């Protein structure tokens, strides 16, 4: 992910130029992250001859078909709202503590 992000940053900086392995290495290294040149070369070979704008559009259309997980509101929610509101007032709300865990991975892993 870090390599494609560096590629896109370089492409934004100069849309006419194709980012090189050295340029991607410099961007990733500037973030203090170890560089895997094999992965950079693999990325560059996969993107060779392709327009990044077309790849983004294709990926966006694929993501549009993925369910986003929002649940529908119950049909009787408005009618039962008064009773539920009274029950909610009696029971003290417990605040959930947010975790600062990164779930085993970081931004630049």
């Amino acid at each position: 992910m870090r390599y494609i992000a560096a590629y896109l940053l370089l492409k934004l900086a100069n849309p006419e130029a194709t980012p090189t392995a050295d340029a991607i290495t410099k961007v990733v290294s500037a973030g203090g992250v170890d560089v895997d040149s094999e992965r950079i070369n693999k990325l560059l070979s996969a993107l060779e001859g392709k327009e990044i704008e077309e790849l983004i559009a294709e990926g966006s259309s694929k993501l549009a078909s993925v369910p986003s997980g929002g649940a529908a509101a119950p049909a009787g929610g408005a009618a039962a709202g008064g009773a539920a509101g009274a029950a909610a007032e009696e029971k003290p709300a417990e605040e959930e503590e947010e975790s600062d865990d990164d779930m085993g991975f970081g931004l630049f892993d």
Side-chain angles (χ1 to χ4, degrees), residues 6-61:
Y7 182 93
L8 291 172
L9 284 171
L10 291 164
K11 194 70 173 166
L12 280 172
N14 188 356
E16 286 81 32
T18 301
T20 63
D22 290 336
I24 294 171
T25 300
K26 287 180 184 178
V27 170
V28 174
S29 296
V33 179
D34 293 332
V35 177
D36 183 357
S37 58
E38 181 179 323
R39 293 182 77 181
I40 293 173
N41 292 332
K42 187 175 180 181
L43 170 71
L44 292 175
S45 65
L47 294 176
E48 187 175 346
K50 298 178 183 174
E51 292 295 320
I52 198 71
E53 293 83 8
E54 292 174 12
L55 293 174
I56 291 172
E58 183 181 332
S60 294
S61 67

